[in-house]
């Protein structure tokens, strides 16, 4: 039972490079989320997808794009990486947008350093 | 100012001791409050959820309380174990969003 799987686990980029963070869930969840976690701060929402075919901006979307490839997969793309995007990125999923009492299930994160 | 404030930022206790972590929030309207445990190098895992009408909920050695009037919650850990060493994150949901606290880093020493 894999849950939410994120790849890669670690990545080092140079300023200006691009990359895509991958996320897949096997729980048949409708909603998926991308967060970043920085020291001393709570997780901040970058983008989310309430259901397949929809995506919306979160609190800190600048510099990122997302694709909801299908119900299972939700990717996050950095087009031109900046040192301020050094962070740990978490993908999460939840059964549906309608029931706020359902927990989010998180992957184990991608640790991204931008030099 | 973050709408969810947790205290203390970090805490060290001896194995077998109890501890209480605090969460104060200003999120309004309020839908629910959830506590997550995050082990080092892992993603957060849900421990318990509290809705407006609940004021106490237990999950094994973890007991969460909620005072919706004062907008405060606490997480009490009884008879701590080394495996309780982790960050504990308070998350408050409103109508359309979730706000995460910065977490309390708990270290349990033998």
């Amino acid at each position: 039972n894999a849950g939410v799987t994120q790849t890669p686990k670690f990545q080092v980029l140079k300023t200006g490079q691009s990359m895509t963070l991958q996320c897949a869930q096997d729980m048949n969840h409708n909603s998926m989320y991308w967060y970043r976690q920085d020291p001393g701060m709570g997780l901040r929402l970058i983008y989310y997808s309430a259901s397949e075919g929809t995506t919306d901006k979160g609190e800190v979307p600048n510099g990122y794009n997302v694709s909801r490839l299908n119900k299972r997969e939700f990717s996050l793309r950095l087009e031109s990486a900046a040192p301020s995007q050094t962070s740990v990125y978490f993908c999460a999923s939840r059964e549906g947008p309608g029931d706020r009492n359902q927990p989010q299930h998180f992957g184990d994160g991608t640790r991204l350093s931008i030099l | 100012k973050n709408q969810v404030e947790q205290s203390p930022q970090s805490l060290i206790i001896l194995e077998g001791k109890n501890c209480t972590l605090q969460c104060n929030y200003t999120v309004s309207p309020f839908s629910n409050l959830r506590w997550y445990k995050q082990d080092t190098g892992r993603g957060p895992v849900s421990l318990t959820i509290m809705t407006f009408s609940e004021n106490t909920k237990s999950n094994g050695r973890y007991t969460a309380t909620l005072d919706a009037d004062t907008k405060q919650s606490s997480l009490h850990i009884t008879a701590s174990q080394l495996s309780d060493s982790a960050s504990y994150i308070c998350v408050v949901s409103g109508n359309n969003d979730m706000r995460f606290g910065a977490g309390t880093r708990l270290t349990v020493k033998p």
Side-chain angles (χ1 to χ4, degrees), chain A residues 70-101:
Chain A
N70 48 56
K71 191 172 185 179
R72 288 187 64 247
E73 299 172 288
F74 189 38
S75 63
L76 178 71
R77 183 162 178 83
L78 285 70
E79 291 291 352
S80 179
S84 61
Q85 294 178 305
T86 293
S87 187
V88 182
Y89 291 85
F90 286 98
C91 177
S93 70
R94 188 164 69 174
E95 190 167 322
D99 186 355
R100 296 187 201 95
N101 289 345

Side-chain angles (χ1 to χ4, degrees), chain A residues 33 35 37-45 48 59 88 90 94 99-109 111, chain B residues 2 9 31-32 34 36 38 40-46 49 51 89 93-103:
Chain A
Y33 308 80
Y35 293 92
Q37 186 176 41
D38 300 297
M41 301 181 71
L43 277 83
R44 291 181 293 168
L45 182 64
Y48 67 100
E59 182 184 358
V88 182
F90 286 98
R94 188 164 69 174
D99 186 355
R100 296 187 201 95
N101 289 345
Q102 289 295 317
Q104 288 186 321
H105 297 261
F106 287 83
D108 285 337
R111 283 140 189 86
Chain B
N2 196 2
Q9 283 188 323
S31 179
N32 61 60
R34 191 181 293 277
Y36 283 87
Q38 184 177 20
T40 300
R42 304 296 300 272
V45 175
S46 177
I49 181 175
T51 57
I89 300 171
S93 293
N95 273 351
N96 295 312
D97 64 353
M98 281 184 289
R99 294 291 175 175
F100 288 74

Side-chain angles (χ1 to χ4, degrees), chain B:
Chain B
K1 182 173 166 61
N2 196 2
Q3 295 184 51
V4 180
E5 298 285 348
Q6 292 188 243
S7 62
Q9 283 188 323
S10 62
L11 182 62
I12 301 173
I13 63 174
L14 292 176
E15 186 179 13
K17 297 297 186 182
N18 304 336
C19 67
T20 299
L21 314 180
Q22 301 289 347
C23 175
N24 296 341
Y25 63 92
T26 59
V27 175
S28 182
F30 173 85
S31 179
N32 61 60
L33 184 148
R34 191 181 293 277
W35 284 93
Y36 283 87
K37 179 186 180 188
Q38 184 177 20
D39 292 318
T40 300
R42 304 296 300 272
V45 175
S46 177
L47 287 175
T48 185
I49 181 175
M50 304 196 74
T51 57
F52 187 86
S53 59
E54 298 171 305
N55 52 29
T56 303
K57 185 174 281 188
S58 293
N59 177 5
R61 293 180 298 101
Y62 300 102
T63 299
T65 66
L66 173 66
D67 185 334
D69 291 332
T70 62
K71 298 186 177 179
Q72 296 179 326
S73 176
S74 65
L75 181 68
H76 185 75
I77 304 174
T78 303
S80 60
Q81 301 176 357
L82 298 179
S83 59
D84 292 331
S85 294
S87 289
Y88 292 84
I89 300 171
C90 174
V91 184
V92 182
S93 293
N95 273 351
N96 295 312
D97 64 353
M98 281 184 289
R99 294 291 175 175
F100 288 74
T104 292
R105 177 71 205 173
L106 175 66
T107 302
V108 180
K109 293 198 169 183

Side-chain angles (χ1 to χ4, degrees), chain A:
Chain A
N1 216 6
V4 178
T5 302
Q6 293 184 236
T7 55
K9 294 189 186 306
F10 302 93
Q11 185 71 47
V12 179
L13 292 178
K14 294 181 180 179
T15 298
Q17 287 185 316
S18 62
M19 80 160 294
T20 300
L21 280 62
Q22 306 287 352
C23 175
Q25 52 91 9
D26 62 2
M27 296 171 283
N28 201 36
H29 286 169
N30 289 300
S31 301
M32 298 185 74
Y33 308 80
W34 276 106
Y35 293 92
R36 60 179 290 172
Q37 186 176 41
D38 300 297
M41 301 181 71
L43 277 83
R44 291 181 293 168
L45 182 64
I46 304 171
Y47 270 94
Y48 67 100
S49 172
S51 60
E52 187 179 357
T54 69
T55 60
D56 285 287
K57 294 179 180 179
E59 182 184 358
V60 289
N62 291 346
Y64 305 95
N65 284 301
V66 290
S67 295
R68 183 74 182 266
L69 304 171
N70 48 56
K71 191 172 185 179
R72 288 187 64 247
E73 299 172 288
F74 189 38
S75 63
L76 178 71
R77 183 162 178 83
L78 285 70
E79 291 291 352
S80 179
S84 61
Q85 294 178 305
T86 293
S87 187
V88 182
Y89 291 85
F90 286 98
C91 177
S93 70
R94 188 164 69 174
E95 190 167 322
D99 186 355
R100 296 187 201 95
N101 289 345
Q102 289 295 317
Q104 288 186 321
H105 297 261
F106 287 83
D108 285 337
T110 293
R111 283 140 189 86
L112 181 62
S113 292
I114 299 163
L115 307 176

